Every structure is written in structure tokens, then in C-alpha cells.
Amino acid sequence: MLKYGLFKNHLTIDPDDYVAIPQDVESKTEEDILKEMVVPGGVTTTQAQAVFTARREAISKFLEQGYAVQTDYSELKPGIKGVFNSDEESFTNGKHTVAISSSSRKVLKNIANSIKVEKVSVIERSPIIMKFIDTATQRENEIITPGMVGELKGGYLKCDTADETQGVFIILPDNTALRCTNYLHNTASKLMFYIPNTLSANDEINIEVRNKLGGSTKANRIGKFAIDLTVTSI
């Protein structure tokens, strides 16, 4: 059952527009999948792990060779990001990056159609991140450029930037959180901030907004962006 709450849509001018945001979505790991695959008297944990490993290595090998890979669930396709200033320019590490995009296949779309949903009451107003704009490239929900300005749009985003526990946090691949310290715009519907220049190109990162409601002394509310971003540079 997919639980969702309704929040005002701060990306439109219609005051009666609301958007559905999933609530309390738990994640299942590869370990959970393996446990689900194991059948008494049938597939063993060792066998399942061997299949997982072999499949992952085969997909990685094909992608490294420049192939697109189609599975039952998704199509993985390598591509190149970055601006080329002439037709004679070649790929340059740092300025250009190779990224792998993923698109859903028919079986996933069929599964999505079969998911049952349940509307739940939203008690606490947590930050809602609806969109990230990399202002250096004007690309949305895709890349993030170190040392440049990032823009978040959504709801309940305003932070007390003097409080070191609040603000925009970059979640690095090792799950450590890097706080952004300089802000150009700080309102409930929009945050503009300088992206730390210490990010490593090609890393996949996520963004969180942490704040308190009306100066409350309670623990920070945390809004996580639903989309991972790829670190790049101009």
C-alpha cells in the first residue's frame, strides 16, 4: 500500500492546486530481495547471491563497453553530458561526463498500475523539495555544478541559516552530510545557495533541507529530494 499526503503545489499560481507526496515509504535492500527469493527445499541463499553477483557483473561489463542494457524492469543507457564549444572539441574529463540514464520498461509500468494507494493525514509540515535547478546550466533535476548556485523550489523550505543544524545539506555517496553555508534566497517556496566546490565529479549525491517550524526547539524536520543528482563541472 502506497500512502500519500496532499500538499499545496508551490510551483503553480493556483491556490487550489495540491500535489500528492508519498509518506513513510520504506526501502527494501538487496538482502531483503535475497531473503524473498530463498525457498525451503529450493533456491538457497548461496545460489541466489551467486545469481545476483553474476547478473550485476554482466550488466556492468556491457555498460563499460558502451552498450545499452535492457532488462525486464528498465533500460540502462550510457550518454555524455556537458557542453562542447565546437565540432572539433573532444571529450574532456571534468568538463564532460559520462552518465547512465534509466527508463522504465513495460513490466514496471504494469506494476505501477497495480499499486494500491491510501490517503493519510499529514500532521507535521516537513520541507518539500519539488525541483532542483542547476543555475549554471539551467538543467533541472539532473546535474549539480560545484562552486555555482543551486535553486530549490517547493514548500516549507525556509531555514534559519545562522543555525548550523539547519539549511541545505548535500548527502555524499558515503552518506555523510555536507552543509551549504551561503544563501542568496531563503523563503518558504524557494532556496538559492552556493554549491560547495569540494564535490567530486561524477559522484551521485542527494539533497536534504533541514529546518524547524516557527523557531520551535523541537528536532529538525527533514525533507529529502526524491531524485539523485550527478556532480559535474563547466
Side-chain angles (χ1 to χ4, degrees):
M1 182 74 71
L2 178 62
K3 297 180 179 180
Y4 70 94
L6 294 182
F7 296 83
K8 280 190 175 295
N9 188 346
H10 296 273
L11 300 184
T12 68
I13 60 175
D14 189 335
D16 295 323
D17 276 1
Y18 284 77
V19 61
I21 304 292
Q23 303 292 300
D24 302 323
V25 177
E26 296 182 7
S27 297
K28 293 293 185 180
T29 65
E30 186 171 294
E31 183 179 352
D32 295 317
I33 298 173
L34 288 171
K35 289 179 180 178
E36 189 71 17
M37 291 173 61
V38 173
V39 178
V43 178
T44 67
T45 300
T46 300
Q47 291 171 332
Q49 287 176 331
V51 171
F52 256 54
T53 300
R55 185 176 188 273
R56 183 168 55 242
E57 290 177 349
I59 291 174
S60 298
K61 180 179 179 180
F62 286 140
L63 290 172
E64 289 170 357
Q65 293 174 343
Y67 292 104
V69 177
Q70 294 184 359
T71 69
D72 289 342
Y73 288 102
S74 64
E75 179 179 18
L76 304 175
K77 184 180 297 184
I80 295 175
K81 298 179 179 180
V83 176
F84 290 80
N85 299 115
S86 75
D87 58 2
E88 296 183 355
E89 184 177 1
S90 298
F91 183 96
T92 303
N93 284 323
K95 182 178 181 181
H96 309 116
T97 59
V98 176
I100 297 173
S101 61
S102 176
S103 58
S104 299
R105 302 280 288 172
K106 185 176 180 180
V107 66
L108 268 189
K109 296 175 183 177
N110 290 338
I111 291 173
N113 290 333
S114 68
I115 296 176
K116 296 181 179 180
V117 299
E118 177 187 356
K119 183 180 177 181
V120 296
S121 298
V122 180
I123 300 175
E124 186 174 278
R125 292 177 294 169
S126 295
I128 303 169
I129 304 174
M130 295 180 177
K131 181 188 295 186
F132 170 79
I133 302 171
D134 184 69
T135 61
T137 61
Q138 289 302 305
R139 289 159 71 173
E140 298 180 3
N141 303 338
E142 188 179 356
I143 62 173
I144 182 169
T145 304
M148 305 304 285
V149 174
E151 180 178 336
L152 293 176
K153 291 187 176 181
Y156 312 119
L157 297 177
K158 186 175 176 61
C159 306
D160 179 359
T161 56
D163 180 352
E164 294 186 356
T165 69
Q166 299 186 50
V168 177
F169 288 80
I170 308 294
I171 308 303
L172 303 175
D174 62 0
N175 287 324
T176 56
L178 178 63
R179 182 174 180 264
C180 301
T181 55
N182 295 317
Y183 296 81
L184 298 174
H185 193 93
N186 181 17
T187 62
S189 60
K190 183 168 74 173
L191 283 174
M192 295 184 70
F193 57 96
Y194 283 103
I195 301 162
N197 58 14
T198 55
L199 300 182
S200 299
N202 301 320
D203 274 357
E204 294 290 322
I205 62 90
N206 195 262
I207 290 181
E208 291 182 359
V209 173
R210 304 176 184 178
N211 61 20
K212 290 183 172 69
L213 178 62
S216 169
T217 58
K218 295 181 179 179
N220 280 336
R221 306 167 306 162
I222 300 176
K224 299 176 183 289
F225 194 27
I227 302 172
D228 287 337
L229 305 171
T230 302
V231 179
T232 188
S233 59
I234 295 179

